[in-house]
Amino acid sequence: MISNNVTIFRLALTLPFFALLAINGPGWAALGLFLACGLLDIVDGKLARHLGETSRLGAMLDLWGDRMLTLAAVAGLIIAGALSLPASMAALVLVARCQAVSTFGEALGGPDRLTPSTFEHTKIALAFAGLGLMMAPGFWDQQAMLGEALIYAAAALTLVTLAGYIIQAVRALAPRPAS
């Protein structure tokens, strides 16, 4: 499947992206790899739908790729010292959410059993923009401030969406009275 190969290629780019960011810190090369992975995320989904290649394996690989890219970006920025301590904590909320949602999805029999939040796309866009601004070379004075503000906003929405997922999981896993 072509779309799964694109996703696997995106996953393979994650390790060099992380190493580049962690060792060299923010820069155009790290930002370029980050943006390439983001673009490939869009391409693999569109290809899968266009070619009729949607599958549970493809969905799992896509989610894994998303989570690994978030982890690589956050860990790389923290190791490089590019995030303040409060922004690092907010960014770690993004990573922790991925673990929690995948755990809920597994407990419920698959990630497709959770109803996505209406804020999910906004949260993803804020996180991507904030992380991207933090790994770009500084080209204006308020860039880091804006990047961290976007990460804080993404973390806040993450907590809101996570609360919704927790409620869904508790309701779905609650014991049912015997009939």
Side-chain angles (χ1 to χ4, degrees), residues 86-110:
S88 294
M89 301 310 284
L92 287 172
V93 166
L94 304 174
V95 174
R97 174 251 179 230
C98 293
Q99 183 62 38
V101 170
S102 74
T103 301
F104 297 150
E106 286 302 313
L108 297 175

Side-chain angles (χ1 to χ4, degrees), residues 58-114:
M60 182 204 66
L61 288 172
D62 184 63
L63 287 173
W64 192 30
D66 296 346
R67 292 176 178 138
M68 294 307 294
L69 181 61
T70 301
L71 176 61
V74 169
L77 286 167
I78 290 172
I79 290 168
L83 293 176
S84 67
L85 182 59
S88 294
M89 301 310 284
L92 287 172
V93 166
L94 304 174
V95 174
R97 174 251 179 230
C98 293
Q99 183 62 38
V101 170
S102 74
T103 301
F104 297 150
E106 286 302 313
L108 297 175
D112 54 339
R113 305 234 191 238
L114 289 172

